[in-house]
Amino acid sequence: MKRASVMREQIYRKLMRELKGQLQPSLVSNAKISKWLHLFCMYLANYTEVKEMREIEEEIIEEYFKYLTANYKRLSLGLSDIKRSMQLLEDTLHIKIEAPLLDFSLSNSSLWGNLK
């Protein structure tokens, strides 16, 4: 395995431990929540410079949302999965996510424009 791959795997594992540590014990066993955390940590490890949970900022969450909406079919996600995963991140990271990212109504043209 290449050095970069090993480094990304280590970052992924560290972020998963940190995020799972922030969840309520009853939520950790939920398969959907584990999938959402897995996707988020893989995104962080592969597409950002984040190495620790404390480095996650609102802008990264916004970019992650764009990533999900652009790749939802490939990732086998539905709109409810995206919405719930964003709410999970908001609760877990104690970051206030902007209202448009959590607005899944038909009037949210920026969301629907991203879903092709």
Side-chain angles (χ1 to χ4, degrees):
M1 209 187 291
K2 294 182 180 177
R3 181 169 162 70
S5 296
V6 172
M7 295 294 288
R8 283 194 303 271
E9 179 70 20
Q10 290 172 346
I11 292 168
Y12 163 78
R13 290 182 189 278
K14 181 179 182 186
L15 289 167
M16 278 295 285
R17 278 192 309 272
E18 289 178 354
L19 287 171
K20 280 187 175 182
Q22 293 295 315
L23 292 176
Q24 297 172 3
S26 63
L27 293 178
V28 174
S29 63
N30 187 324
K32 285 268 190 189
I33 289 173
S34 293
K35 177 183 177 179
W36 299 332
L37 287 180
H38 166 75
L39 286 173
F40 182 60
C41 291
M42 289 299 288
Y43 172 81
L44 292 175
N46 288 314
Y47 300 108
T48 70
E49 298 295 321
V50 171
K51 292 181 176 60
E52 296 181 9
M53 192 176 84
R54 64 180 171 81
E55 297 174 329
I56 301 170
E57 297 177 351
E58 201 171 316
E59 295 82 27
I60 292 171
I61 302 293
E62 291 174 19
E63 290 301 316
Y64 178 64
F65 178 76
K66 290 176 187 174
Y67 170 79
L68 289 179
T69 55
N71 297 288
Y72 72 99
K73 288 182 183 176
R74 182 177 61 80
L75 298 171
S76 300
L77 295 173
L79 287 178
S80 62
D81 292 325
I82 295 172
K83 181 177 182 176
R84 289 185 186 125
S85 67
M86 296 305 288
Q87 290 170 331
L88 175 71
L89 292 176
E90 183 177 52
D91 295 342
T92 304
L93 299 171
H94 308 290
I95 293 176
K96 183 65 180 153
I97 297 175
E98 290 184 34
L101 296 184
L102 294 174
D103 177 14
F104 282 73
S105 66
L106 290 175
S107 61
N108 186 349
S109 58
S110 63
L111 167 70
W112 296 105
N114 285 332
L115 299 174
K116 296 177 178 141

